[in-house]
Amino acid sequence: MVHLHWLDITVLAGYFVAVIGIGLLARRRIKNLEDYYMGGRRFGKGLMIMFAFGAGTHADSAVALTAQTYKLGMAGIWYQWSQLFNTPFYWLLSPIFGRARCLTTADLYELRYGPSLGILYAVWGVVINVGFLGVTLYGSARLVEALTSGAIPSHWTVVGMTLAFLLYSLIGGLIATVWNEFLQGMLTIVMSVLLIPFVWSAVGGVNGIRTTLPHADALFRLVAPGEIGFYWIVVVTINQLLGFVSQPHIMSNNAAGRTELDNRIGFCAGMTLKRLCSIGWALVGVLAIAYYNGNEIHPDHVFGALVRDLLPVGFAGLMIACILASVMDNGAVFVLTTAALFTRNLMRIFKAKENPQLELRVSRIFSIGYVCASIALALSFTSVPSAVRFMWGLNPMIGIAFWLGLWWRKANRYGAWASFIAATTAWVLGVHKFGWTGDAGLPYVITFYSLAGFGVGAVVSLLTKPEPKERLDRFFLTINTPIGQEERLERFESGLKVLEGAAR
Amino acid sequence: MKQRFDSQDWYPRLVNCRNWEIPVPGPQAVIGFFVVLGVSLMLYFFVLWLCSLFRS
């Protein structure tokens, strides 16, 4: 049982006051929707690194990875490292989001394929974000549950965290969120390394592990035959690349910086920092095998149980603050991006005339409904790794259409819709009809829905009417025009007007 | 006149085919790509070394 010292409680209370205070301070800087959703696109490298790191790292990442390495050995690290070799490609892709000059990822789909894809993305993006927040809340609830041996009921943890991040993100928008990411990112790094020296000393270092675990050779390999093999790693890596581009928060992660270089460095360094922290979580999971040698413990509880069993009382309080921080910074980003999708891309279907004040009010009300749906989803999960696998399937469904249209002019809205429907159908069939579940089935279901999505999308695009040339020209010119060279876009638009006038 | 407003004439492309729009990457993109790749490989080999430490 964790007994919280009065000092721990003071630190936690101070932490909550600080994050909400940042929200109130940031409120003064919000003058329009661009400020609210994109922070006015004026963040530097340091803030962008911590923003990308914080938005991509949360307590469930640590719980899922520790659970997998506890079950499978170091090969479980691929649960977080499946994007390791994708990071160089993120460097190449990052400018596209800034150059698109959009507020939401749905705007980007609309720019390429027209309004119907903008709406499809907005709906699916809300689903993705409900999934993201549900997984994050579930993972952290499991962690706190294990950490306190049930002394702090998980539903209270979820409600407390949700109220705090709702408050500061709704008040201060992206400015408050990014400022808080900096503080919370630091705490997440602390969470990642804090346990290692305590577990290391408890198991007796390298010699202790070799003595306790006679099968150390198998545990310290980067593949686990039958579960995580070479094919699994390659397929999941490709899957992450397909899905990364379609995450709703990817737009603000890659477009809120002052310059393209700030966005690029911020995103890639933030992702690399996450991989570095993953090494700590993976190591903790494997060391836990030696520590709990012979004792039954649920893999989801390993991280929390180690904190409970090994950290001194004061450190345990700090760890709780770190966990809350990692969940709350993500929650805030998800709330903002989901609200943006709803107000920017869905609400306008019913309301043609722009009204920024009304949009801001509606987005704040919608956010409350969104977190309620996420909490409901969180309660339906049964294990953290299975929740993570579920999320891995959601993003690529709509991401395939992005990739089809990124370099290929023939890709059109009919092909994009067809690829989404085909990939989603294949995903459902793979899991429910063919029984490709768990780690063993994962690469097969990914291969199946990827081939279905790309194949059907390409064939339908070839057989149907192409997108209007003006739309394609505008899209490709926009994503290939660096920030600061907008006069090129203006010249292009005025040229189009001249052509239209001549045609009349 | 129409040629002037064709987006394909505004930036260099990697593939000389009307249906493909793969832009030529600039120096910042190429250098950064290899730097990030190098860092990723360093992390990978660090973990391999860590594993070998426990195995041997």
Side-chain angles (χ1 to χ4, degrees), chain A residues 317-332:
Chain A
L318 179 64
M319 187 61 107
I320 292 176
C322 296
I323 293 162
L324 296 181
S326 75
V327 176
M328 285 173 21
D329 58 6
N330 274 272

Side-chain angles (χ1 to χ4, degrees), chain A residues 103-183:
Chain A
L103 280 185
T104 67
T105 314
D107 293 342
L108 181 61
Y109 276 78
E110 188 172 331
L111 187 68
R112 174 62 179 84
Y113 291 115
S116 72
L117 255 294
I119 292 165
L120 173 67
Y121 180 85
V123 172
W124 196 249
V126 172
V127 173
I128 290 173
N129 269 356
V130 167
F132 269 134
L133 188 56
V135 173
T136 307
L137 289 175
Y138 177 70
S140 60
R142 294 285 275 180
L143 188 51
V144 174
E145 186 181 74
L147 202 150
T148 62
S149 301
I152 300 177
S154 59
H155 54 273
W156 281 115
T157 315
V158 168
V159 170
M161 287 185 305
T162 306
L163 281 177
F165 72 66
L166 254 183
L167 202 59
Y168 78 72
S169 59
L170 295 190
I171 295 171
L174 195 72
I175 298 175
T177 304
V178 172
W179 286 356
N180 271 320
E181 293 282 10
F182 199 87
L183 165 73

Side-chain angles (χ1 to χ4, degrees), chain A residues 131 134-135 138 381-392:
Chain A
V135 173
Y138 177 70
F381 288 128
T382 52
S383 86
V384 181
S386 72
V388 171
R389 283 194 294 270
F390 168 76
M391 276 313 300
W392 283 353

Side-chain angles (χ1 to χ4, degrees), chain A residues 74-302:
Chain A
M74 277 304 270
I77 199 171
W78 291 106
Y79 257 66
Q80 282 302 321
W81 268 28
S82 51
Q83 299 201 48
L84 180 71
F85 292 112
N86 287 340
T87 317
F89 296 101
Y90 298 165
W91 180 270
L92 299 180
L93 292 165
S94 173
I96 292 170
F97 299 97
R99 291 176 184 183
R101 297 156 177 91
C102 297
L103 280 185
T104 67
T105 314
D107 293 342
L108 181 61
Y109 276 78
E110 188 172 331
L111 187 68
R112 174 62 179 84
Y113 291 115
S116 72
L117 255 294
I119 292 165
L120 173 67
Y121 180 85
V123 172
W124 196 249
V126 172
V127 173
I128 290 173
N129 269 356
V130 167
F132 269 134
L133 188 56
V135 173
T136 307
L137 289 175
Y138 177 70
S140 60
R142 294 285 275 180
L143 188 51
V144 174
E145 186 181 74
L147 202 150
T148 62
S149 301
I152 300 177
S154 59
H155 54 273
W156 281 115
T157 315
V158 168
V159 170
M161 287 185 305
T162 306
L163 281 177
F165 72 66
L166 254 183
L167 202 59
Y168 78 72
S169 59
L170 295 190
I171 295 171
L174 195 72
I175 298 175
T177 304
V178 172
W179 286 356
N180 271 320
E181 293 282 10
F182 199 87
L183 165 73
Q184 296 171 351
M186 292 293 180
L187 287 176
T188 306
I189 294 170
V190 172
M191 178 183 90
S192 309
V193 295
L194 195 58
L195 263 175
I196 297 173
F198 290 94
V199 198
W200 185 268
S201 150
V203 299
V206 176
N207 290 334
I209 290 202
R210 284 187 195 147
T211 318
T212 323
L213 301 173
H215 306 300
D217 268 17
L219 291 172
F220 286 95
R221 291 197 179 279
L222 287 183
V223 288
E227 297 275 352
I228 297 179
F230 181 71
Y231 180 48
W232 190 102
I233 295 165
V234 171
V235 169
V236 173
T237 298
I238 294 169
N239 183 67
Q240 299 292 56
L241 197 56
L242 293 182
F244 137 85
V245 290
S246 60
Q247 298 177 89
H249 60 272
I250 211 69
M251 187 58 76
S252 52
N253 266 176
N254 285 282
R258 255 193 306 260
T259 64
E260 278 186 14
L261 193 61
D262 289 343
N263 288 325
R264 270 180 153 154
I265 290 179
F267 192 71
C268 292
M271 290 293 101
T272 305
L273 199 53
K274 183 181 176 183
R275 312 286 165 254
L276 205 58
C277 290
S278 305
I279 298 174
W281 302 330
L283 202 56
V284 163
V286 187
L287 295 177
I289 304 172
Y291 183 72
Y292 290 116
N293 195 18
N295 295 322
E296 264 312 297
I297 187 160
H298 191 287
D300 283 359
H301 284 162
V302 168

